[in-house]
Amino acid sequence: MTTHTTRMLILGSGPAGLTAAIYGARAGLKPILVQGIQPGGQLMTTTDVENYPGFADVIQGPWLMEQMQKQAEHVGTQLMYDTIVEVDVSQRPFRLIGDGGDVYEGDTLVIATGAQAKWLGLDSEEALKGKGVSACATCDGFFYRGKKVAVIGGGNTAVEEALYLTNHSPDVTIIHRRDHFRAEKILQDRLFAHKNVSVLWNKEVAEFVDGGGTAGLIALELRDTVTGERSRLDTDGGFVAIGHHPATELFRGHVELDEDHYIKVETGTTKTNVPGVFACGDVMDKHYRQAVTAAGSGCMAALDAERFLAAEDFKVAEAAE
């Protein structure tokens, strides 16, 4: 068992965690970043990225994360390949324990563990991810300009995704397994008033239909949840919008979470209810969930942590006089 110590300990290696590491390293804090189960975060499963600033041409998600990782290492971040199984933020230094027994101690802790989209769990869905099947309309809707798309779900996420897609598609269909939405009424009113949106009630996706070759998704095989009757909906894109799971299981009971299990932060900052613990990226952001906003909040977390440490150092120095 080895103990690793640092002034800034970061958990999570997506755009938020790596940006926090870059800023922390440049501030001389010699951060340690523990990469976790999915190094690189959700962008490692994203192919074409067209909305990250600074690149005129379409780039690949894994390539972007590789570049961020190299930049973080170049400026002085120590990257650790480990999976954390236990946390203690009851006192400083904060302690994380890896599944191999290694201990990581930090004077500050930045939580950037992200969130995962919920999926239907179909084999055909998995096979067509990035080939017509997506869980992010804001990320991928642009690729379906003038095309026919479908959104699966019935909550706020689904209705918001459908409304967003009307900016690109003249034909948006929402597929919902019940006969009413769970979304807020104001969103439903906007949806029902939109001429480009139609709703299929009491339907669930039985299969995403692959056109073969480079065609990708061409249709959805639907099942009526009342009668069991099968039907088919031809479509160019299928957006699964049934919510997200923030990766906060480790921190339940340790930092304050909201009703959806996202980490609560002080408005306009990345500060949690535990002084010295900060949260950034999708683990605290259930509204935007974009790589660029995650990176921006990672910058905020590093600056918040740096200022926290400076204030603590000043107290120590003042007490010593």
Side-chain angles (χ1 to χ4, degrees):
M1 183 182 79
T2 304
T3 298
H4 310 272
T5 61
T6 178
R7 302 221 73 194
M8 180 186 290
L9 182 57
I10 303 167
L11 181 58
S13 56
L18 287 169
T19 303
I22 291 165
Y23 274 79
R26 286 176 55 81
L29 300 178
K30 298 181 179 178
I32 291 176
L33 185 150
V34 184
Q35 303 217 55
I37 295 173
Q38 187 180 8
Q42 292 188 83
L43 275 178
M44 295 301 291
T45 60
T46 304
T47 51
D48 293 348
V49 175
E50 201 171 42
N51 58 359
Y52 198 87
F55 301 95
D57 298 321
V58 176
I59 58 175
Q60 300 299 299
W63 177 85
L64 178 60
M65 296 319 302
E66 180 185 349
Q67 295 302 305
M68 283 191 187
Q69 185 182 93
K70 287 180 179 178
Q71 185 178 5
E73 288 183 297
H74 177 73
V75 293
T77 302
Q78 184 179 359
L79 298 181
M80 306 297 291
Y81 294 87
D82 204 346
T83 301
I84 300 302
V85 295
E86 188 178 334
V87 303
D88 181 2
V89 296
S90 62
Q91 59 184 357
R92 296 177 60 226
F94 306 118
R95 285 169 56 92
L96 306 183
I97 301 175
D99 61 1
D102 277 13
V103 176
Y104 304 88
E105 295 185 340
D107 292 330
T108 56
L109 173 63
V110 174
I111 304 170
T113 47
Q116 296 289 332
K118 297 178 184 177
W119 296 94
L120 300 177
L122 301 171
D123 290 342
S124 56
E125 173 187 60
E126 184 66 31
L128 286 169
K129 284 180 182 177
K131 301 175 183 176
V133 176
S134 171
C136 181
T138 316
C139 309
D140 299 328
F142 186 75
F143 298 115
Y144 296 90
R145 299 184 302 279
K147 297 182 178 180
K148 185 175 181 179
V149 297
V151 176
I152 299 102
N156 283 352
T157 300
V159 174
E160 288 170 348
E161 297 269 273
L163 287 168
Y164 175 81
L165 286 165
T166 61
N167 295 317
H168 304 293
S169 170
D171 189 342
V172 179
T173 302
I174 293 193
I175 298 158
H176 187 37
R177 62 193 311 274
R178 297 184 176 85
D179 61 1
H180 62 279
F181 288 131
R182 292 173 286 109
E184 296 171 6
K185 187 177 184 302
I186 189 169
L187 288 173
Q188 294 190 45
D189 290 344
R190 287 175 56 200
L191 184 84
F192 294 138
H194 206 294
K195 61 182 177 63
N196 291 352
V197 180
S198 57
V199 181
L200 292 178
W201 302 108
N202 298 318
K203 297 287 190 296
E204 62 184 6
V205 177
E207 185 179 357
F208 293 87
V209 181
D210 190 341
T214 59
L217 180 74
I218 59 168
L220 303 178
E221 189 76 28
L222 305 177
R223 180 191 302 113
D224 192 289
T225 57
V226 177
T227 66
E229 181 183 355
R230 293 289 191 118
S231 59
R232 178 183 169 113
L233 176 70
D234 292 334
T235 189
D236 300 297
F239 291 85
V240 180
I242 56 176
H244 287 73
H245 284 299
T248 53
E249 292 82 1
L250 270 175
F251 297 98
R252 291 179 187 178
H254 298 284
V255 298
E256 190 175 358
L257 308 179
D258 70 11
E259 66 277 5
D260 297 316
H261 307 299
Y262 288 80
I263 295 177
K264 291 183 73 171
V265 296
E266 182 183 311
T267 302
T269 77
T270 61
K271 299 174 185 176
T272 71
N273 67 308
V274 179
V277 177
F278 308 90
C280 55
D282 289 5
V283 76
M284 48 71 77
D285 171 23
K286 58 185 173 183
H287 299 293
Y288 301 106
R289 295 192 294 264
Q290 300 298 302
V292 68
T293 52
S297 69
C299 165
M300 292 168 61
L303 295 176
D304 285 341
E306 180 190 358
R307 290 164 185 166
F308 172 84
L309 288 170
E312 291 293 299
D313 291 347
F314 179 76
K315 290 177 188 176
V316 171
E318 196 173 39
E321 289 180 357

